[in-house]
Amino acid sequence: MEFEGKLYKGHKSGKCWDAFKAQHEGAVIVGEKEARKANAMAESLRTDKHAGPILFSPTAVYEHEVTWTIPWINGTRRRCAGRIDMLDAYAEILADL
């Protein structure tokens, strides 16, 4: 799973920052320090002998939306929703980081 956002190589303030944000509206934007830290964390998980095969399975689905209902007050039902970080239905694995 590779980062699909935008890397900003300056200070997050001023006209250049405002222009970059406007140009990439809706994208995830990270600074160089954030990118280095995130890449180090991802590499640590990827190379871990236990976490790596689970989190980076070829059949894994990331950021999976789920909805469900639960019994609620007076016999009504409450609608709920959430997002699962990683789901591998074939291996019957769910991971939430």
Side-chain angles (χ1 to χ4, degrees):
M1 186 167 122
E2 296 299 319
F3 174 66
E4 296 177 7
K6 299 295 177 185
L7 177 63
Y8 184 69
K9 295 184 178 183
H11 294 285
K12 290 184 177 179
S13 64
K15 291 181 182 179
C16 289
W17 168 239
D18 292 338
F20 190 88
K21 282 194 314 185
Q23 183 181 1
H24 301 288
E25 187 176 344
V28 174
I29 300 172
V30 298
E32 291 179 287
K33 184 177 178 181
E34 295 167 309
R36 280 193 303 274
K37 187 175 181 180
N39 286 332
M41 289 188 291
E43 186 61 21
S44 179
L45 287 169
R46 191 176 282 112
T47 58
D48 184 271
K49 69 179 184 178
H50 301 292
I54 293 170
L55 294 176
F56 300 99
S57 163
T59 56
V61 176
Y62 302 99
E63 297 293 325
H64 184 70
E65 300 267 344
V66 293
T67 60
W68 68 97
T69 57
I70 58 172
W72 202 240
I73 302 167
N74 299 330
T76 60
R77 298 187 65 78
R78 182 175 177 125
R79 186 177 161 96
C80 304
R83 184 181 298 233
I84 298 170
D85 290 337
M86 192 283 301
L87 175 67
D88 188 339
Y90 296 108
E92 298 180 344
I93 296 172
L94 180 146
D96 198 54
L97 304 173

